[in-house]
Amino acid sequence: MNYKNFPMVPRVIFGRGSFNQLNEIIAPKRLSMDAPFIYLVDDVFKSNSWLTSRILLSYDDRIIYISTEEEPKTTQVDNLVEDIILSTKERPSGIIGIGGGSMLDIAKAVAIMLTNEGETKSYQGWDLVKNPGLYHVGIPTLSGTGAEVSRTTVLTGPEKKLGINSDYTPFDQVLLDPELTRSVPREQWFYTGMDCFIHSVESLQGTYLNAFSKSYGEMAFDLCKEVFLNDTDLSKEEAEDKLMMASWHGGMSIVYSQVGIAHAMSYGLSYVLGIKHGIGNCIVFDQLEEFYPKGVALFKAMKKKQGIQLPKGVCTDLNEEQMDAMIDMALRLEPLWENALGKNWRRKISSKQLKQLYLKM
Ligand code: NAD
Ligand code: ZN
């Protein structure tokens, strides 16, 4: 057995209001007056001075606001990198990503592509990155994806949706301030929170499970139950704190295992229909009773408790070609299927079954 040696986020600060410490944390990392810090910030915060007024810009530091209406693309990363190279005198001191999973992934990818040649799409895969990325900091404002702790940055390229998985992908510093999530719209809070719940179920029910991923997975699972079934009457603040830690544990759990069927099929939905990760996972997971009976029953209970209605019939208007592309995209994610169904997974699932499932969504 050859065990993987995973990198972890070396520094993390947690606490309500810890965002106020950002400036003092990054100051020692400034390389020179001409090497700015570049803040990549979700444009939902453009008019939110409560957050942005606390960013202290010095010298040539700059905030770039980015729309996350669509999920991150490899070409978007290429354009950002070019813009940053053309507008800075020296290579930046660091990249600071502030937002949900989309923004965190963009920040990780930009930090890597500023020190690695060529186009972003050529790094989609496992361990293709040659040089360490720039110093990069992740500040989540939405809890659930685990992107703040993971070893990947998920990008849609011209040929596939696949992450840049590498030892240089994880952040050098993460700042967890649950207060930053207080403005998240309710439905988004549920969808991205369920991403975390699904990470925990897929990890705990997977064949790759071991004591390391189990311990983190169980923690994420229990925290999600507390937050979304809320039988203990948590305050809004307590729920924000707990969901931020659930996201972290869910991410840690899949570091040493893998996700499963909901993620594989949701990548298909996203690739063909542009359906975003959180809601896409919910739409798929809702139909996966036969694979994850206990997890799906709990999911349905949480959905009911929170009064969330999922869209229906998302695949009914697809033509055959689109349906095939979606199934191909899903089946291409071999490790996810192997984790879910074991080494003989090809004998346990067929394109026909996938089509039937997609048509139920
Ligand atoms: P997101 O980042 O796409 O954001 C969803 C919406 O919430 C956006 O409209 C955004 O503007 C808004 N938002 C974020 N924070 C807010 C706040 N505090 N107040 C108000 N609005 C806010 O959503 P997400 O679910 O966090 O991320 C999804 C992305 O993460 C996908 O691209 C997915 O592929 C990726 N992902 C990555 C990993 C990883 O390990 N790298 C894991 C899972 C998912
Ligand atoms: Zn996910």
Side-chain angles (χ1 to χ4, degrees), residues 33-68:
M33 285 189 319
D34 291 333
F37 285 109
I38 309 288
Y39 295 82
L40 304 179
V41 181
D42 189 313
D43 72 358
V44 76
F45 295 113
K46 207 165 180 174
S47 53
N48 182 334
S49 61
W50 174 76
L51 186 135
T52 51
S53 66
R54 291 194 275 161
I55 297 175
L56 190 73
L57 298 178
S58 318
Y59 310 109
D60 295 335
D61 293 352
R62 181 176 161 207
I63 297 179
I64 304 178
Y65 290 104
I66 296 173
S67 163
T68 54

mmCIF file of all heavy atoms in Angstrom, residues 33-68:
data_model
loop_
_atom_site.group_PDB
_atom_site.id
_atom_site.type_symbol
_atom_site.label_atom_id
_atom_site.label_comp_id
_atom_site.label_asym_id
_atom_site.label_seq_id
_atom_site.Cartn_x
_atom_site.Cartn_y
_atom_site.Cartn_z
ATOM 1 N N MET A 33 7.558 47.283 -2.304
ATOM 2 C CA MET A 33 6.521 48.283 -2.572
ATOM 3 C C MET A 33 5.868 48.064 -3.934
ATOM 4 O O MET A 33 4.742 48.462 -4.168
ATOM 5 C CB MET A 33 7.126 49.687 -2.513
ATOM 6 C CG MET A 33 7.392 50.126 -1.093
ATOM 7 S SD MET A 33 7.872 51.849 -0.917
ATOM 8 C CE MET A 33 8.976 52.154 -2.259
ATOM 9 N N ASP A 34 6.639 47.474 -4.852
ATOM 10 C CA ASP A 34 6.115 47.253 -6.207
ATOM 11 C C ASP A 34 5.428 45.904 -6.379
ATOM 12 O O ASP A 34 5.013 45.562 -7.487
ATOM 13 C CB ASP A 34 7.262 47.364 -7.235
ATOM 14 C CG ASP A 34 7.760 48.788 -7.337
ATOM 15 O OD1 ASP A 34 6.959 49.707 -7.059
ATOM 16 O OD2 ASP A 34 8.937 48.990 -7.684
ATOM 17 N N ALA A 35 5.386 45.136 -5.298
ATOM 18 C CA ALA A 35 4.767 43.798 -5.380
ATOM 19 C C ALA A 35 3.479 43.812 -4.565
ATOM 20 O O ALA A 35 3.475 43.545 -3.365
ATOM 21 C CB ALA A 35 5.721 42.736 -4.842
ATOM 22 N N PRO A 36 2.371 44.149 -5.213
ATOM 23 C CA PRO A 36 1.124 44.387 -4.470
ATOM 24 C C PRO A 36 0.433 43.107 -4.005
ATOM 25 O O PRO A 36 0.744 42.012 -4.466
ATOM 26 C CB PRO A 36 0.238 45.067 -5.523
ATOM 27 C CG PRO A 36 0.721 44.520 -6.822
ATOM 28 C CD PRO A 36 2.202 44.309 -6.661
ATOM 29 N N PHE A 37 -0.503 43.280 -3.103
ATOM 30 C CA PHE A 37 -1.472 42.225 -2.813
ATOM 31 C C PHE A 37 -2.675 42.449 -3.727
ATOM 32 O O PHE A 37 -3.158 43.568 -3.868
ATOM 33 C CB PHE A 37 -1.928 42.278 -1.348
ATOM 34 C CG PHE A 37 -0.897 41.748 -0.396
ATOM 35 C CD1 PHE A 37 -0.208 42.597 0.451
ATOM 36 C CD2 PHE A 37 -0.608 40.393 -0.363
ATOM 37 C CE1 PHE A 37 0.764 42.109 1.316
ATOM 38 C CE2 PHE A 37 0.353 39.890 0.503
ATOM 39 C CZ PHE A 37 1.042 40.751 1.336
ATOM 40 N N ILE A 38 -3.123 41.372 -4.341
ATOM 41 C CA ILE A 38 -4.299 41.453 -5.216
ATOM 42 C C ILE A 38 -5.450 40.749 -4.514
ATOM 43 O O ILE A 38 -5.354 39.564 -4.180
ATOM 44 C CB ILE A 38 -4.045 40.764 -6.580
ATOM 45 C CG1 ILE A 38 -2.750 41.268 -7.226
ATOM 46 C CG2 ILE A 38 -5.254 40.938 -7.499
ATOM 47 C CD1 ILE A 38 -2.786 42.663 -7.772
ATOM 48 N N TYR A 39 -6.520 41.496 -4.275
ATOM 49 C CA TYR A 39 -7.717 40.931 -3.646
ATOM 50 C C TYR A 39 -8.711 40.562 -4.725
ATOM 51 O O TYR A 39 -9.128 41.419 -5.509
ATOM 52 C CB TYR A 39 -8.358 41.965 -2.709
ATOM 53 C CG TYR A 39 -7.496 42.337 -1.533
ATOM 54 C CD1 TYR A 39 -6.485 43.286 -1.656
ATOM 55 C CD2 TYR A 39 -7.697 41.744 -0.291
ATOM 56 C CE1 TYR A 39 -5.686 43.622 -0.574
ATOM 57 C CE2 TYR A 39 -6.904 42.079 0.801
ATOM 58 C CZ TYR A 39 -5.902 43.013 0.654
ATOM 59 O OH TYR A 39 -5.111 43.339 1.727
ATOM 60 N N LEU A 40 -9.068 39.290 -4.788
ATOM 61 C CA LEU A 40 -10.107 38.841 -5.721
ATOM 62 C C LEU A 40 -11.374 38.657 -4.897
ATOM 63 O O LEU A 40 -11.447 37.770 -4.045
ATOM 64 C CB LEU A 40 -9.688 37.533 -6.397
ATOM 65 C CG LEU A 40 -8.336 37.577 -7.143
ATOM 66 C CD1 LEU A 40 -8.010 36.215 -7.747
ATOM 67 C CD2 LEU A 40 -8.352 38.643 -8.239
ATOM 68 N N VAL A 41 -12.337 39.545 -5.134
ATOM 69 C CA VAL A 41 -13.502 39.612 -4.246
ATOM 70 C C VAL A 41 -14.791 39.385 -5.042
ATOM 71 O O VAL A 41 -14.964 39.975 -6.122
ATOM 72 C CB VAL A 41 -13.554 40.999 -3.543
ATOM 73 C CG1 VAL A 41 -14.753 41.083 -2.592
ATOM 74 C CG2 VAL A 41 -12.260 41.280 -2.788
ATOM 75 N N ASP A 42 -15.675 38.560 -4.521
ATOM 76 C CA ASP A 42 -16.983 38.330 -5.149
ATOM 77 C C ASP A 42 -17.692 39.678 -5.300
ATOM 78 O O ASP A 42 -17.777 40.450 -4.335
ATOM 79 C CB ASP A 42 -17.815 37.391 -4.263
ATOM 80 C CG ASP A 42 -19.092 36.931 -4.958
ATOM 81 O OD1 ASP A 42 -19.808 37.771 -5.543
ATOM 82 O OD2 ASP A 42 -19.363 35.723 -4.921
ATOM 83 N N ASP A 43 -18.221 39.953 -6.496
ATOM 84 C CA ASP A 43 -18.795 41.289 -6.723
ATOM 85 C C ASP A 43 -20.107 41.522 -5.968
ATOM 86 O O ASP A 43 -20.643 42.627 -5.999
ATOM 87 C CB ASP A 43 -18.908 41.603 -8.219
ATOM 88 C CG ASP A 43 -20.003 40.822 -8.916
ATOM 89 O OD1 ASP A 43 -20.665 40.000 -8.265
ATOM 90 O OD2 ASP A 43 -20.196 41.058 -10.133
ATOM 91 N N VAL A 44 -20.579 40.495 -5.269
ATOM 92 C CA VAL A 44 -21.736 40.716 -4.404
ATOM 93 C C VAL A 44 -21.360 41.707 -3.282
ATOM 94 O O VAL A 44 -22.223 42.359 -2.697
ATOM 95 C CB VAL A 44 -22.251 39.362 -3.839
ATOM 96 C CG1 VAL A 44 -21.369 38.843 -2.732
ATOM 97 C CG2 VAL A 44 -23.689 39.451 -3.370
ATOM 98 N N PHE A 45 -20.055 41.845 -3.027
ATOM 99 C CA PHE A 45 -19.588 42.747 -1.957
ATOM 100 C C PHE A 45 -19.221 44.148 -2.452
ATOM 101 O O PHE A 45 -18.738 44.971 -1.687
ATOM 102 C CB PHE A 45 -18.376 42.138 -1.237
ATOM 103 C CG PHE A 45 -18.709 40.875 -0.507
ATOM 104 C CD1 PHE A 45 -18.186 39.661 -0.915
ATOM 105 C CD2 PHE A 45 -19.571 40.888 0.574
ATOM 106 C CE1 PHE A 45 -18.515 38.487 -0.258
ATOM 107 C CE2 PHE A 45 -19.910 39.720 1.243
ATOM 108 C CZ PHE A 45 -19.382 38.517 0.825
ATOM 109 N N LYS A 46 -19.425 44.400 -3.745
ATOM 110 C CA LYS A 46 -19.004 45.672 -4.315
ATOM 111 C C LYS A 46 -19.622 46.850 -3.560
ATOM 112 O O LYS A 46 -18.968 47.863 -3.306
ATOM 113 C CB LYS A 46 -19.413 45.719 -5.789
ATOM 114 C CG LYS A 46 -18.540 46.609 -6.617
ATOM 115 C CD LYS A 46 -18.766 46.334 -8.085
ATOM 116 C CE LYS A 46 -17.871 47.232 -8.912
ATOM 117 N NZ LYS A 46 -17.969 46.896 -10.325
ATOM 118 N N SER A 47 -20.891 46.715 -3.225
ATOM 119 C CA SER A 47 -21.557 47.838 -2.555
ATOM 120 C C SER A 47 -21.664 47.593 -1.049
ATOM 121 O O SER A 47 -22.414 48.269 -0.355
ATOM 122 C CB SER A 47 -22.945 48.025 -3.159
ATOM 123 O OG SER A 47 -23.624 46.792 -3.106
ATOM 124 N N ASN A 48 -20.908 46.610 -0.553
ATOM 125 C CA ASN A 48 -21.005 46.244 0.856
ATOM 126 C C ASN A 48 -19.793 46.800 1.611
ATOM 127 O O ASN A 48 -18.797 46.121 1.789
ATOM 128 C CB ASN A 48 -21.056 44.710 0.949
ATOM 129 C CG ASN A 48 -21.208 44.212 2.373
ATOM 130 O OD1 ASN A 48 -20.825 44.888 3.321
ATOM 131 N ND2 ASN A 48 -21.750 43.020 2.527
ATOM 132 N N SER A 49 -19.899 48.063 2.026
ATOM 133 C CA SER A 49 -18.714 48.696 2.606
ATOM 134 C C SER A 49 -18.369 48.084 3.966
ATOM 135 O O SER A 49 -17.249 48.192 4.441
ATOM 136 C CB SER A 49 -18.917 50.204 2.738
ATOM 137 O OG SER A 49 -20.002 50.423 3.594
ATOM 138 N N TRP A 50 -19.348 47.429 4.578
ATOM 139 C CA TRP A 50 -19.089 46.763 5.863
ATOM 140 C C TRP A 50 -17.901 45.813 5.732
ATOM 141 O O TRP A 50 -17.070 45.702 6.615
ATOM 142 C CB TRP A 50 -20.347 45.996 6.295
ATOM 143 C CG TRP A 50 -20.138 45.162 7.517
ATOM 144 C CD1 TRP A 50 -20.063 45.617 8.798
ATOM 145 C CD2 TRP A 50 -19.953 43.748 7.571
ATOM 146 N NE1 TRP A 50 -19.849 44.567 9.649
ATOM 147 C CE2 TRP A 50 -19.776 43.404 8.933
ATOM 148 C CE3 TRP A 50 -19.927 42.733 6.617
ATOM 149 C CZ2 TRP A 50 -19.570 42.096 9.347
ATOM 150 C CZ3 TRP A 50 -19.731 41.427 7.031
ATOM 151 C CH2 TRP A 50 -19.546 41.121 8.388
ATOM 152 N N LEU A 51 -17.802 45.156 4.578
ATOM 153 C CA LEU A 51 -16.684 44.242 4.367
ATOM 154 C C LEU A 51 -15.490 44.961 3.713
ATOM 155 O O LEU A 51 -14.377 44.942 4.223
ATOM 156 C CB LEU A 51 -17.128 43.059 3.499
ATOM 157 C CG LEU A 51 -16.077 41.965 3.343
ATOM 158 C CD1 LEU A 51 -16.710 40.591 3.532
ATOM 159 C CD2 LEU A 51 -15.394 41.995 1.996
ATOM 160 N N THR A 52 -15.753 45.625 2.590
ATOM 161 C CA THR A 52 -14.620 46.129 1.794
ATOM 162 C C THR A 52 -13.900 47.304 2.464
ATOM 163 O O THR A 52 -12.707 47.492 2.251
ATOM 164 C CB THR A 52 -15.080 46.553 0.391
ATOM 165 O OG1 THR A 52 -16.197 47.418 0.534
ATOM 166 C CG2 THR A 52 -15.485 45.341 -0.427
ATOM 167 N N SER A 53 -14.595 48.074 3.294
ATOM 168 C CA SER A 53 -13.919 49.215 3.928
ATOM 169 C C SER A 53 -12.861 48.734 4.923
ATOM 170 O O SER A 53 -12.002 49.496 5.354
ATOM 171 C CB SER A 53 -14.940 50.102 4.649
ATOM 172 O OG SER A 53 -15.495 49.373 5.721
ATOM 173 N N ARG A 54 -12.924 47.478 5.288
ATOM 174 C CA ARG A 54 -11.942 46.972 6.255
ATOM 175 C C ARG A 54 -10.683 46.431 5.567
ATOM 176 O O ARG A 54 -9.751 45.989 6.236
ATOM 177 C CB ARG A 54 -12.593 45.890 7.119
ATOM 178 C CG ARG A 54 -13.652 46.492 8.038
ATOM 179 C CD ARG A 54 -14.049 45.504 9.100
ATOM 180 N NE ARG A 54 -15.077 44.590 8.649
ATOM 181 C CZ ARG A 54 -15.339 43.411 9.249
ATOM 182 N NH1 ARG A 54 -14.629 43.015 10.280
ATOM 183 N NH2 ARG A 54 -16.303 42.638 8.800
ATOM 184 N N ILE A 55 -10.683 46.449 4.215
ATOM 185 C CA ILE A 55 -9.472 46.026 3.495
ATOM 186 C C ILE A 55 -8.572 47.251 3.369
ATOM 187 O O ILE A 55 -8.985 48.283 2.849
ATOM 188 C CB ILE A 55 -9.834 45.496 2.090
ATOM 189 C CG1 ILE A 55 -10.723 44.250 2.202
ATOM 190 C CG2 ILE A 55 -8.577 45.185 1.290
ATOM 191 C CD1 ILE A 55 -11.225 43.720 0.871
ATOM 192 N N LEU A 56 -7.353 47.116 3.868
ATOM 193 C CA LEU A 56 -6.442 48.255 3.846
ATOM 194 C C LEU A 56 -5.528 48.151 2.626
ATOM 195 O O LEU A 56 -4.661 47.282 2.583
ATOM 196 C CB LEU A 56 -5.609 48.233 5.134
ATOM 197 C CG LEU A 56 -4.773 49.453 5.419
ATOM 198 C CD1 LEU A 56 -5.656 50.618 5.854
ATOM 199 C CD2 LEU A 56 -3.761 49.137 6.526
ATOM 200 N N LEU A 57 -5.759 49.022 1.639
ATOM 201 C CA LEU A 57 -4.923 48.961 0.432
ATOM 202 C C LEU A 57 -3.701 49.862 0.599
ATOM 203 O O LEU A 57 -3.834 51.020 0.959
ATOM 204 C CB LEU A 57 -5.727 49.412 -0.790
ATOM 205 C CG LEU A 57 -6.968 48.574 -1.151
ATOM 206 C CD1 LEU A 57 -7.694 49.181 -2.347
ATOM 207 C CD2 LEU A 57 -6.583 47.131 -1.448
ATOM 208 N N SER A 58 -2.495 49.328 0.361
ATOM 209 C CA SER A 58 -1.280 50.144 0.405
ATOM 210 C C SER A 58 -0.569 50.036 -0.951
ATOM 211 O O SER A 58 -0.749 49.038 -1.660
ATOM 212 C CB SER A 58 -0.306 49.653 1.459
ATOM 213 O OG SER A 58 -0.973 49.294 2.638
ATOM 214 N N TYR A 59 0.288 51.013 -1.240
ATOM 215 C CA TYR A 59 1.070 51.015 -2.502
ATOM 216 C C TYR A 59 0.160 50.677 -3.688
ATOM 217 O O TYR A 59 -0.861 51.310 -3.878
ATOM 218 C CB TYR A 59 2.267 50.063 -2.406
ATOM 219 C CG TYR A 59 3.095 50.288 -1.161
ATOM 220 C CD1 TYR A 59 3.087 49.368 -0.114
ATOM 221 C CD2 TYR A 59 3.875 51.457 -1.036
ATOM 222 C CE1 TYR A 59 3.839 49.589 1.029
ATOM 223 C CE2 TYR A 59 4.634 51.671 0.111
ATOM 224 C CZ TYR A 59 4.606 50.735 1.138
ATOM 225 O OH TYR A 59 5.338 50.958 2.264
ATOM 226 N N ASP A 60 0.528 49.628 -4.459
ATOM 227 C CA ASP A 60 -0.268 49.295 -5.650
ATOM 228 C C ASP A 60 -1.294 48.186 -5.403
ATOM 229 O O ASP A 60 -1.762 47.549 -6.344
ATOM 230 C CB ASP A 60 0.663 48.844 -6.793
ATOM 231 C CG ASP A 60 1.572 49.978 -7.238
ATOM 232 O OD1 ASP A 60 1.191 51.147 -7.046
ATOM 233 O OD2 ASP A 60 2.662 49.683 -7.771
ATOM 234 N N ASP A 61 -1.627 47.919 -4.163
ATOM 235 C CA ASP A 61 -2.618 46.873 -3.862
ATOM 236 C C ASP A 61 -3.924 47.181 -4.600
ATOM 237 O O ASP A 61 -4.269 48.348 -4.805
ATOM 238 C CB ASP A 61 -2.947 46.824 -2.358
ATOM 239 C CG ASP A 61 -1.762 46.374 -1.537
ATOM 240 O OD1 ASP A 61 -0.741 45.965 -2.126
ATOM 241 O OD2 ASP A 61 -1.858 46.439 -0.301
ATOM 242 N N ARG A 62 -4.624 46.131 -4.931
ATOM 243 C CA ARG A 62 -5.788 46.339 -5.780
ATOM 244 C C ARG A 62 -6.879 45.313 -5.468
ATOM 245 O O ARG A 62 -6.585 44.158 -5.177
ATOM 246 C CB ARG A 62 -5.297 46.164 -7.213
ATOM 247 C CG ARG A 62 -6.282 46.338 -8.278
ATOM 248 C CD ARG A 62 -5.551 46.221 -9.624
ATOM 249 N NE ARG A 62 -6.537 45.933 -10.633
ATOM 250 C CZ ARG A 62 -6.292 45.281 -11.755
ATOM 251 N NH1 ARG A 62 -5.077 44.854 -12.030
ATOM 252 N NH2 ARG A 62 -7.247 45.072 -12.619
ATOM 253 N N ILE A 63 -8.122 45.782 -5.541
ATOM 254 C CA ILE A 63 -9.258 44.858 -5.429
ATOM 255 C C ILE A 63 -9.809 44.622 -6.823
ATOM 256 O O ILE A 63 -10.070 45.574 -7.561
ATOM 257 C CB ILE A 63 -10.391 45.453 -4.555
ATOM 258 C CG1 ILE A 63 -9.920 45.685 -3.121
ATOM 259 C CG2 ILE A 63 -11.613 44.523 -4.563
ATOM 260 C CD1 ILE A 63 -10.978 46.294 -2.186
ATOM 261 N N ILE A 64 -9.965 43.378 -7.216
ATOM 262 C CA ILE A 64 -10.646 43.053 -8.470
ATOM 263 C C ILE A 64 -11.955 42.359 -8.097
ATOM 264 O O ILE A 64 -11.939 41.309 -7.441
ATOM 265 C CB ILE A 64 -9.787 42.122 -9.364
ATOM 266 C CG1 ILE A 64 -8.418 42.745 -9.647
ATOM 267 C CG2 ILE A 64 -10.522 41.797 -10.668
ATOM 268 C CD1 ILE A 64 -7.483 41.866 -10.496
ATOM 269 N N TYR A 65 -13.076 42.972 -8.483
ATOM 270 C CA TYR A 65 -14.379 42.350 -8.205
ATOM 271 C C TYR A 65 -14.732 41.384 -9.334
ATOM 272 O O TYR A 65 -14.549 41.700 -10.512
ATOM 273 C CB TYR A 65 -15.466 43.425 -8.084
ATOM 274 C CG TYR A 65 -15.316 44.245 -6.831
ATOM 275 C CD1 TYR A 65 -14.791 45.539 -6.876
ATOM 276 C CD2 TYR A 65 -15.681 43.718 -5.598
ATOM 277 C CE1 TYR A 65 -14.643 46.282 -5.721
ATOM 278 C CE2 TYR A 65 -15.532 44.463 -4.435
ATOM 279 C CZ TYR A 65 -15.011 45.744 -4.508
ATOM 280 O OH TYR A 65 -14.855 46.482 -3.365
ATOM 281 N N ILE A 66 -15.228 40.225 -8.943
ATOM 282 C CA ILE A 66 -15.496 39.184 -9.937
ATOM 283 C C ILE A 66 -16.902 38.633 -9.754
ATOM 284 O O ILE A 66 -17.326 38.338 -8.632
ATOM 285 C CB ILE A 66 -14.447 38.054 -9.792
ATOM 286 C CG1 ILE A 66 -13.062 38.630 -10.108
ATOM 287 C CG2 ILE A 66 -14.765 36.866 -10.702
ATOM 288 C CD1 ILE A 66 -11.927 37.688 -9.855
ATOM 289 N N SER A 67 -17.610 38.503 -10.868
ATOM 290 C CA SER A 67 -18.957 37.923 -10.811
ATOM 291 C C SER A 67 -18.853 36.413 -10.670
ATOM 292 O O SER A 67 -18.043 35.772 -11.339
ATOM 293 C CB SER A 67 -19.718 38.268 -12.088
ATOM 294 O OG SER A 67 -20.834 37.400 -12.196
ATOM 295 N N THR A 68 -19.701 35.842 -9.805
ATOM 296 C CA THR A 68 -19.699 34.385 -9.664
ATOM 297 C C THR A 68 -21.028 33.812 -10.161
ATOM 298 O O THR A 68 -21.457 32.752 -9.729
ATOM 299 C CB THR A 68 -19.466 33.961 -8.200
ATOM 300 O OG1 THR A 68 -20.442 34.625 -7.381
ATOM 301 C CG2 THR A 68 -18.098 34.310 -7.732
#
